[in-house]
Amino acid sequence: MSCDSDPYIFTTDTLPSDLRFLPPLANGHLGWRVFNNVMHMGGVYNGEGGRCHRADVPCPLAVKVELEEPVQHTYSLDTHKGIFIHTLSSASATATQSLYSHRHYPNLMVMEILLERQVTSQEPVTVKLVSSFTPQSKDIRFEAGPDYRGGSHIQGQTTAAEYPGGSCPTVHLIWTPVPVTLMLPPEHSQARWGFILVAASSLDSAEASFDEGLNLMATGSLRPSHEKAWQELWLQSKVEVTGSESLCKALIGCMFYLLSAFPSIHDTSSSFGGVSPGGLSNGGEGQDYWGHVFWDQDIWMYPGIALFYPKLARAVLEYRVGTIDGAKDNAQKQGYKGLKFPWESAVSGREVCPEDIYGQQEIHINGDVTLAFQHYLYLTEDLSMFREGLGSEVIYGVADYWVSRVTWKPEDQKYHLLGVMPPDEYYYNVNDSVYTNTVAKLGLQFAVELAELLQHSVPKEWQAVAEYIKIPFDEEHQYHPEYDGYIKGHPVKQADTVLLGYPLGLPMSPEVRRNDLEAYEPVTDPHGPAMTWGMFAIGWLELGEAEKAQLLLEKCFNNIQGPFQVWSESSDGSGAVNFLTGMGGFLQAVLFGYTGFRVQKDCLAFSPLLPNDVCELCVRGVNYLGSQMDWLLRKEEVCIILREQEGSAGNTKPCNLQVVLKASGTKIPLTPGQPVTFPREPGCVCKLISAASCWPF
């Protein structure tokens, strides 16, 4: 590593002037931006329909520590341990405040105070704990409950359900009361205090979690159990580069914040509420897209996490399965069959977009959802997700929607999707968005494939629409127009047509791929959302132009706000904060760009290409067909280590894997624990395949 200091620790002596860029602490269930008096809970929204937003929950740990004498401040976010630390150092004492959302026990948040004497003195050392907490919320009607084991308790319900007749979530908070001051007696050199906060949806759960927290504190296991859970996560994934310190830290920050948005890998509750663009720490009324779940989750955030963590990938799919009833309701209200996943989703799956046009026209969300399911099956071969897990209902329901939504035109003998909004939201009510039609085609093809795999009858309409849906193409200019009637050179908001090559994988010649990139790159809004440039970078890497790709990827650094590597949606700091969507796109540019990874039906294809300022790329913990691998990519060679301990994601046994070098046809078996190194063949796609297919045909 080129980083002189620990790249996993982000340290500063001054907090950002814009408090939106304070570091978020989340664990997939609770999310909080440090020192803020508001936090959020997964799945707890307030407001009906387009007014639905993450409910503000008051945070009793909104506490700042002060010493009476002059101090030097240090603020650190330790991403390896998932802990934010504020240190105050004076001539006589050091006070250390540690804050974390517990990684293993999702209902717990913790504040710890350590007070240490620096010089011998007969005087006590006192610190002030300045709190901005009030037990009130504009979204939840709280009332005081009986104290529980020394903990204060409030309980309440949100004021408005997501849809008429829906339920209003209940919230219980139990916390250790925070005093105004803490004192270190003269005869003591140091002292520690621990404060726990429990947030849960029922009294039984809140009390059980508070009991657990007290027990963990009593046995000295509270912080170690949290750190162990983060250590376990980092052992399963690592993305590090040698040669660029800024890229190194950016990747670590992306992985940390994305992982923070997902539940524990040991969570079996199936209560995951999805990932919104600003994560759980953000998303109150009028902010950060109100905490809703968009295509951002399925297309932008999901692929980088799925490559390492099948359980977390499955949690995303289970979230969508849990919204099937709402998706049926959306389709019926539009006058169509099957499932219409909402452009903006909360808990029920009913449309909660504040502006009707997006929910009505941005229907590519259906294809984005099914693409995640397809990606998961190809990575894991876990058919239980589609049988017992009801994933097949999602795939078939979306296929039925496409069939009922298309229009057949006899004059060109094609099916068309009319009156849509493409991913490029500068345009609406257009016909035949090339991205929308392509994801519809892919979703229908996958529905046919899955139905045959599960021995389910295949409606002939699925195959017909998949075969004859129009994919706009300009023969004269040899490129894909964004939609029918798009005028070449007109401005676009964000990555749209360039997504055809990756992640959609629409077959096209290198010439057409280049033409698409060159057509849209100069007319893409430079102030558009952050994930866009990573997709252009992947396109240029596909064409072997690593330095051009790197210049585009470096544009993303304008969206990273120091000192804690928090992303803003736009490069000027505006838009959604802690923009996980941008992080997901950036991470994919490295994970699927530099490596050339492509998750395909019968293999994991790869074609590494590193820019000049990156000496090597380490990708640890890639999970393919139930086997974990560590990859080290250098300029001229590739090293793969199959881990000794193999797991399984739905298979009865892990597969035997081998690398196939396309140019020579050489097959290299992977033996657990034994590194396999081979020269990289320029411009050649290699494949990682199962030596004995696990598909239950």
Side-chain angles (χ1 to χ4, degrees):
M1 297 270 316
S2 64
C3 311
D4 297 328
S5 57
D6 188 339
Y8 284 82
I9 300 177
F10 308 150
T11 300
T12 182
D13 55 6
T14 56
L15 292 176
S17 57
D18 188 336
L19 299 183
R20 296 178 307 149
F21 301 122
L22 285 169
L25 299 174
N27 61 13
H29 178 65
L30 301 178
W32 178 53
R33 192 168 65 241
V34 298
F35 302 138
N36 196 1
N37 58 8
V38 166
M39 64 179 190
H40 298 113
M41 290 177 62
V44 178
Y45 292 85
N46 186 46
E48 183 180 324
R51 301 295 301 173
C52 173
H53 58 276
R54 287 205 189 281
D56 285 355
V57 179
C59 183
L61 301 186
V63 173
K64 289 189 177 180
V65 178
E66 295 180 358
L67 282 172
E68 293 179 342
E69 53 189 304
V71 297
Q72 179 179 346
H73 295 272
T74 304
Y75 306 91
S76 296
L77 177 65
D78 187 334
T79 62
H80 245 149
K81 299 178 179 179
I83 299 175
F84 177 79
I85 300 169
H86 176 204
T87 304
L88 303 85
S89 301
S90 72
S92 61
T94 299
T96 305
Q97 177 190 29
S98 300
L99 300 163
Y100 53 96
S101 296
H102 205 288
R103 184 66 253 191
H104 186 78
Y105 299 98
N107 297 103
L108 273 176
M109 288 178 57
V110 182
M111 177 175 72
E112 298 168 344
I113 307 290
L114 170 63
L115 196 51
E116 299 172 284
R117 194 182 296 277
Q118 298 299 322
V119 295
T120 303
S121 171
Q122 295 304 308
E123 297 296 322
V125 177
T126 302
V127 296
K128 293 181 181 179
L129 302 183
V130 181
S131 174
S132 59
F133 165 71
T134 57
Q136 298 169 341
S137 165
K138 63 183 178 59
D139 293 313
I140 302 169
R141 295 192 186 98
F142 277 112
E143 58 184 33
D147 288 356
Y148 181 73
R149 296 189 64 183
S152 300
H153 174 213
I154 58 175
Q155 61 189 27
Q157 276 188 305
T158 58
T159 60
E162 183 183 328
Y163 60 95
S167 60
C168 290
T170 300
V171 175
H172 288 264
L173 298 183
I174 304 177
W175 70 95
T176 313
V178 179
V180 176
T181 60
L182 295 172
M183 187 186 71
L184 177 63
E187 64 273 13
H188 289 81
S189 61
Q190 67 173 37
R192 297 175 185 270
W193 294 266
F195 303 88
I196 59 173
L197 160 66
V198 164
S201 57
S202 71
L203 180 59
D204 287 347
S205 176
E207 290 180 347
S209 295
F210 197 74
D211 291 343
E212 186 73 60
L214 293 177
N215 181 59
L216 290 166
M217 278 205 296
T219 58
S221 303
L222 184 61
R223 185 163 175 160
S225 59
H226 166 76
E227 293 183 359
K228 180 182 178 182
W230 266 111
Q231 180 185 38
E232 186 178 15
L233 276 178
W234 284 120
L235 283 173
Q236 291 192 38
S237 71
K238 179 167 75 172
V239 186
E240 293 180 354
V241 297
T242 301
S244 172
E245 181 174 350
S246 59
L247 179 57
C248 169
K249 292 193 75 167
L251 289 169
I252 290 168
C254 289
M255 283 298 295
F256 172 73
Y257 288 124
L258 282 166
L259 284 171
S260 297
F262 284 81
S264 165
I265 54 176
H266 301 292
D267 184 8
T268 58
S269 66
S270 298
S271 61
F272 177 52
V275 188
S276 53
L280 267 173
S281 304
N282 303 295
E285 186 172 11
Q287 303 170 349
D288 311 301
Y289 297 108
W290 303 43
H292 297 162
V293 179
F294 293 72
W295 75 313
D296 305 45
Q297 170 190 257
D298 310 83
I299 287 291
W300 298 103
M301 306 168 198
Y302 166 88
I305 296 300
L307 195 62
F308 302 103
Y309 302 96
K311 289 181 180 178
L312 300 186
R314 181 162 175 152
V316 167
L317 309 188
E318 289 172 343
Y319 166 75
R320 291 299 188 185
V321 167
T323 64
I324 281 178
D325 287 345
K328 286 179 183 175
D329 186 67
N330 297 334
Q332 289 170 2
K333 285 178 178 175
Q334 288 191 355
Y336 301 114
K337 298 179 180 178
L339 305 178
K340 163 59 176 69
F341 285 95
W343 178 239
E344 299 189 29
S345 180
V347 175
S348 73
R350 290 165 175 81
E351 185 63 66
V352 292
C353 182
E355 298 178 69
D356 187 57
I357 190 171
Y358 298 96
Q360 290 293 323
Q361 294 194 13
E362 207 150 358
I363 61 174
H364 66 80
I365 178 67
N366 262 11
D368 306 323
V369 169
T370 57
L371 202 65
F373 279 80
Q374 182 177 1
H375 187 267
Y376 177 80
L377 182 61
Y378 291 175
L379 265 178
T380 68
E381 294 185 351
D382 176 14
L383 281 171
S384 70
M385 180 65 237
F386 297 85
R387 287 176 175 145
E388 298 83 0
L390 303 182
S392 58
E393 286 194 26
V394 170
I395 305 304
Y396 302 158
V398 169
D400 288 339
Y401 176 84
W402 292 130
V403 168
S404 67
R405 180 64 171 78
V406 294
T407 299
W408 173 258
K409 290 189 176 181
E411 57 266 31
D412 64 357
Q413 294 288 294
K414 292 288 185 182
Y415 288 101
H416 301 263
L417 286 169
L418 308 178
V420 305
M421 179 183 288
D424 172 13
E425 294 169 328
Y426 284 171
Y427 304 96
Y428 57 92
N429 206 33
V430 303
N431 299 331
D432 292 323
S433 151
V434 69
Y435 178 90
T436 305
N437 287 23
T438 301
V439 290
K441 180 185 183 77
L442 295 175
L444 287 160
Q445 289 174 336
F446 181 58
V448 171
E449 177 188 331
L450 182 68
E452 291 174 346
L453 190 60
L454 298 180
Q455 298 181 326
H456 182 277
S457 60
V458 179
K460 63 181 184 301
E461 294 86 359
W462 293 358
Q463 294 173 314
V465 175
E467 184 175 355
Y468 291 105
I469 192 168
K470 180 179 179 179
I471 306 297
F473 186 72
D474 186 321
E475 293 287 351
E476 179 184 355
H477 296 101
Q478 287 293 296
Y479 91 114
H480 292 94
E482 188 175 274
Y483 55 85
D484 188 22
Y486 172 77
I487 299 173
K488 194 176 184 207
H490 276 206
V492 300
K493 176 185 177 184
Q494 63 186 63
D496 184 313
T497 308
V498 297
L499 302 176
L500 299 182
Y502 175 87
L504 302 192
L506 183 69
M508 68 183 78
S509 69
E511 176 195 7
V512 171
R513 182 70 158 132
R514 178 180 295 273
N515 290 344
D516 283 351
L517 294 168
E518 290 180 342
Y520 294 104
E521 183 184 320
V523 298
T524 297
D525 189 339
H527 303 295
M531 66 281 190
T532 289
W533 302 114
M535 296 302 104
F536 279 102
I538 289 178
W540 288 114
L541 285 163
E542 284 181 355
L543 296 173
E545 299 200 25
E547 302 315 310
K548 187 171 179 61
Q550 194 66 3
L551 289 174
L552 290 167
L553 193 60
E554 286 172 0
K555 288 188 177 186
C556 296
F557 286 99
N558 296 326
N559 298 75
I560 302 176
Q561 309 296 330
F564 300 113
Q565 302 288 309
V566 174
W567 282 56
S568 59
E569 181 175 9
S570 299
S571 57
D572 61 2
S574 64
V577 173
N578 200 38
F579 191 49
L580 297 176
T581 312
M583 297 186 207
F586 185 81
L587 186 62
Q588 286 188 64
V590 173
L591 281 179
F592 297 90
Y594 289 170
T595 65
F597 283 152
R598 295 293 181 271
V599 180
Q600 299 174 353
K601 179 180 177 180
D602 56 354
C603 70
L604 177 63
F606 60 99
S607 181
L609 182 63
L610 301 180
N612 289 334
D613 61 349
V614 174
C615 304
E616 63 181 34
L617 169 65
C618 176
V619 183
R620 184 172 67 192
V622 172
N623 200 313
Y624 180 60
L625 303 184
S627 297
Q628 281 190 299
M629 290 157 283
D630 300 336
W631 296 64
L632 187 62
L633 309 174
R634 300 187 180 95
K635 296 288 187 183
E636 303 299 334
E637 65 180 15
V638 178
C639 178
I640 307 174
I641 303 175
L642 186 63
R643 293 194 181 183
E644 295 277 4
Q645 294 181 332
E646 297 180 338
S648 178
N651 298 319
T652 55
K653 64 180 185 301
C655 298
N656 299 315
L657 297 175
Q658 61 185 13
V659 175
V660 179
L661 306 183
K662 184 177 179 182
S664 61
T666 303
K667 296 181 179 180
I668 307 173
L670 297 182
T671 303
Q674 295 184 12
V676 170
T677 302
F678 51 91
R680 186 177 70 81
E681 299 174 337
C684 181
V685 176
C686 305
K687 293 184 176 181
L688 179 69
I689 64 172
S690 165
S693 176
C694 298
W695 287 80
F697 287 121

